[in-house]
Amino acid sequence: MPDLYQELIKLADSEMYPLHMPGHKRNLESTPMKGAFRCDITEIDGFDNLHDESGIILDAENRANELYGSDKTYFLVNGSTSGVLSAVSAALNEGETILAARGSHKSFYNAVYLRHLKVKYLPYYIDYVYGIPDSYSLEDVVPNITDDIRAVFITSPTYEGKCSDIEKIAKACHERNIPLIVDAAHGAHLGFVGAKTYSDEEYDCLPKNAIQMGADIVIHSVHKTLPSMTQTALLHVQGNLIDRGRLKRFLRIYQTSSPSYVLMSSIDLCIKEMRENGNKYVDRLLELRNRIQNDTRKCRFLKVLGKSAIDDASKVVIYVVNGTMTGQSLYDILREEYNLQLEMAGDKYALAIISGWDTDEGINRLISAVLEIDARLARESDNKFNNDKLNMTLETDENDTCSRVEYALPQVAVSLGEAWDSDTEIVCLVNAEGRVSAEFINLYPPGIPLIAPGEVFSGKIIHEIRHYLDQGMNVQGLADICTDDRNQGMEYRKGFICVRQK
């Protein structure tokens, strides 16, 4: 079978002159993006078409499918976003009800809006010690599959690396003849197996892939943890609960009609790399993860959560013990003082993503930074607290076991679509109690809604949003307007929100 990238190189080296799009005409002098432009083409003879693949692109998709083991795999060049939109749209008719995790990506909510769906939420569990959204078991899901549910949507692994029991949940869904959609955007690397052995206290494997565990549709962002370009993803489908023709129709709707061959060849090369060296990737990832875990084990104030708390070895959650600083402060210090750009900050932690392609130098810098910051916090605390009392408190944090509590979701006044399409007005956040939100407000990343359109602002939600603003965290969805009211303070200059008109 021809390799997509090699075919692009053959074309670039040939005498074929491009009297077609794109406008750079593969001219290496057109911009500094020489390498990418050399292989950037449109749908021309001999290069197939992503939306009606029958040749070179179909071959590449089949190679990906062979690697992951589903019934059919599709390339996505509009990211996992287009995969989620297509999956949800194909699985349900307009107006039907989907059971979903609250911690779903915003693309899920966009699909709900576009298809006028009703949403029933699974209980939203939070690890109250670490402040991390928890995963789902069979017992969490089954009581919520009522007769009106037409599909179940779960994110696994989560942004922080927690995995749900997809195998049992999929079986329960299939017993009720409804499909399970898994947003596994962060899990394209799962399911691969290494060759080395590790101690009981170390990460010794990666969790199974959602495809292996029977989900009907699985969406993977290959760019998040594998060597592929940003915006590249895969959609896998298996079983007989999803209409393939309908799914393909929505893939055509939600993806560009001018798909990038550079991105598609990047996916194909990524698949080739994992076919040939996937076990080496896993061994390298586990080696790096265990090095971080072992070398920071004696830290008193910064704790890297281990395998009993975080399932996915690629996610390094650095928890700040006893609230000695915020997660955002830790994130900022690592970036500004150590030139380490982490993925995101939570209220109590900062999150780094590592892969099998990280360098020793980069990982060692992270370890050194964590050790130095922990030592700094220790020196500061010794001047403020009684050491015996502090050590007793810290000792209780040595156990990674999750202590989950259900997070109370806001009251729903009207549907998401009705609120989003309604007449709106802008009000100050502090005056919003009792009003109906007309916009999503969330921390990004990961983008889990603090409140969604159609839900009612409570005093608790307002307090939570103001707390995140005080911490300097990235709160999205607030109305960016200026105010002349000096009494509100500059920190709340963006503390205005869009609500449904009364």
Side-chain angles (χ1 to χ4, degrees), residues 299-317:
C299 287
R300 296 166 58 199
F301 296 89
L302 298 181
K303 179 180 181 180
V304 176
L305 302 189
K307 67 177 184 178
S308 61
I310 304 299
D311 302 304
D312 178 8
S314 74
K315 300 302 176 71
V316 182
V317 177

Side-chain angles (χ1 to χ4, degrees), residues 102-381:
R102 177 71 171 199
S104 299
H105 188 263
K106 58 185 178 181
S107 56
F108 165 78
Y109 294 94
N110 289 338
V112 168
Y113 169 74
L114 290 170
R115 298 291 288 162
H116 306 289
L117 302 178
K118 301 182 185 73
V119 184
K120 179 180 178 181
Y121 292 112
L122 289 163
Y124 186 28
Y125 293 111
I126 298 286
D127 182 327
Y128 72 83
V129 175
Y130 304 128
I132 297 173
D134 201 13
S135 54
Y136 290 101
S137 67
L138 177 67
E139 292 72 25
D140 296 327
V141 176
V142 168
N144 295 283
I145 306 180
T146 49
D147 291 342
D148 58 333
I149 299 300
R150 292 294 175 263
V152 176
F153 185 95
I154 288 177
T155 301
S156 181
T158 64
Y159 215 109
E160 292 83 4
K162 297 183 77 67
C163 295
S164 294
D165 191 347
I166 297 300
E167 190 166 10
K168 291 181 179 179
I169 295 170
K171 183 177 180 181
C173 288
H174 297 161
E175 289 172 352
R176 293 157 177 80
N177 205 38
I178 58 175
L180 173 63
I181 303 168
V182 177
D183 178 359
H186 283 262
H189 61 296
L190 301 187
F192 291 98
V193 179
K196 297 182 179 179
T197 57
Y198 303 88
S199 71
D200 291 339
E201 295 183 357
E202 296 180 314
Y203 282 92
D204 56 358
C205 65
L206 295 177
K208 286 184 179 180
N209 196 293
I211 301 165
Q212 299 168 316
M213 293 189 286
D216 298 271
I217 298 182
V218 177
I219 300 105
H220 282 145
S221 284
V222 286
H223 71 91
K224 293 191 187 302
T225 52
L226 298 183
S228 190
M229 295 182 73
T230 296
Q231 205 171 306
T232 56
L234 299 169
L235 183 147
H236 314 274
V237 60
Q238 57 189 355
N240 58 9
L241 295 178
I242 299 296
D243 184 319
R244 307 290 174 81
R246 182 182 170 102
L247 177 61
K248 186 65 173 176
R249 181 205 314 161
F250 283 108
L251 285 169
R252 294 187 183 109
I253 291 172
Y254 293 125
Q255 293 213 87
T256 176
S257 60
S258 302
S260 165
Y261 277 78
V262 174
L263 295 182
M264 287 188 285
S265 65
S266 179
I267 298 174
D268 197 28
L269 289 174
C270 172
I271 296 302
K272 180 179 180 181
E273 172 65 23
M274 294 306 292
R275 283 166 60 100
E276 296 176 355
N277 299 305
N279 61 332
K280 294 180 181 178
Y281 164 88
V282 174
D283 286 335
R284 175 67 173 168
L285 170 60
L286 297 178
E287 174 197 337
L288 295 177
R289 185 63 169 83
N290 289 325
R291 185 192 306 173
I292 295 170
Q293 200 74 40
N294 292 328
D295 289 358
T296 62
R297 194 174 300 280
K298 293 183 180 180
C299 287
R300 296 166 58 199
F301 296 89
L302 298 181
K303 179 180 181 180
V304 176
L305 302 189
K307 67 177 184 178
S308 61
I310 304 299
D311 302 304
D312 178 8
S314 74
K315 300 302 176 71
V316 182
V317 177
I318 310 170
Y319 167 66
V320 182
V321 177
N322 283 16
T324 43
M325 69 167 60
T326 66
Q328 185 67 49
S329 295
L330 175 60
Y331 174 96
D332 291 339
I333 290 171
L334 288 168
R335 181 177 183 274
E336 295 166 7
E337 297 184 23
Y338 295 91
N339 287 321
L340 294 169
Q341 177 65 68
L342 270 63
E343 175 67 19
M344 63 164 284
D347 194 24
K348 301 178 180 181
Y349 62 90
L351 170 66
I353 296 179
I354 65 171
S355 82
W357 285 273
D358 273 290
T359 65
D360 288 324
E361 188 270 340
I363 296 301
N364 290 338
R365 281 175 57 197
L366 174 62
I367 293 170
S368 296
V370 170
L371 294 175
E372 288 181 15
I373 296 170
D374 183 76
R376 183 191 312 176
L377 292 173
R379 288 192 299 271
E380 292 173 355
S381 70

Side-chain angles (χ1 to χ4, degrees), residues 129-130 303 305 308-309 394-403:
V129 175
Y130 304 128
K303 179 180 181 180
L305 302 189
S308 61
L394 290 175
E395 187 177 354
T396 65
D397 279 329
E398 285 301 313
N399 190 352
D400 281 344
T401 303
C402 174
S403 303

Side-chain angles (χ1 to χ4, degrees), residues 13-156:
D13 290 339
S14 74
E15 296 297 319
M16 186 72 70
Y17 186 81
L19 291 171
H20 54 75
M21 299 183 291
H24 56 69
K25 297 303 186 83
R26 291 190 278 116
N27 186 333
L28 300 188
E29 303 307 316
S30 59
T31 79
M33 294 288 289
K34 294 181 179 182
F37 278 14
R38 186 167 183 249
C39 296
D40 186 29
I41 61 171
T42 188
E43 295 89 346
I44 58 176
D45 292 341
F47 281 85
D48 209 355
N49 187 309
L50 178 64
H51 299 298
D52 189 24
E53 64 271 52
S54 60
I56 191 170
I57 296 174
L58 178 62
D59 291 342
E61 288 181 334
N62 286 340
R63 286 192 287 272
N65 184 62
E66 182 182 343
L67 179 67
Y68 282 99
S70 66
D71 291 346
K72 174 65 179 173
T73 296
Y74 297 99
F75 278 12
L76 303 175
V77 294
N78 286 64
S80 284
T81 291
S82 63
V84 170
L85 289 168
S86 300
V88 173
S89 297
L92 296 97
N93 294 318
E94 286 202 3
E96 291 185 331
T97 303
I98 187 168
L99 177 64
R102 177 71 171 199
S104 299
H105 188 263
K106 58 185 178 181
S107 56
F108 165 78
Y109 294 94
N110 289 338
V112 168
Y113 169 74
L114 290 170
R115 298 291 288 162
H116 306 289
L117 302 178
K118 301 182 185 73
V119 184
K120 179 180 178 181
Y121 292 112
L122 289 163
Y124 186 28
Y125 293 111
I126 298 286
D127 182 327
Y128 72 83
V129 175
Y130 304 128
I132 297 173
D134 201 13
S135 54
Y136 290 101
S137 67
L138 177 67
E139 292 72 25
D140 296 327
V141 176
V142 168
N144 295 283
I145 306 180
T146 49
D147 291 342
D148 58 333
I149 299 300
R150 292 294 175 263
V152 176
F153 185 95
I154 288 177
T155 301
S156 181

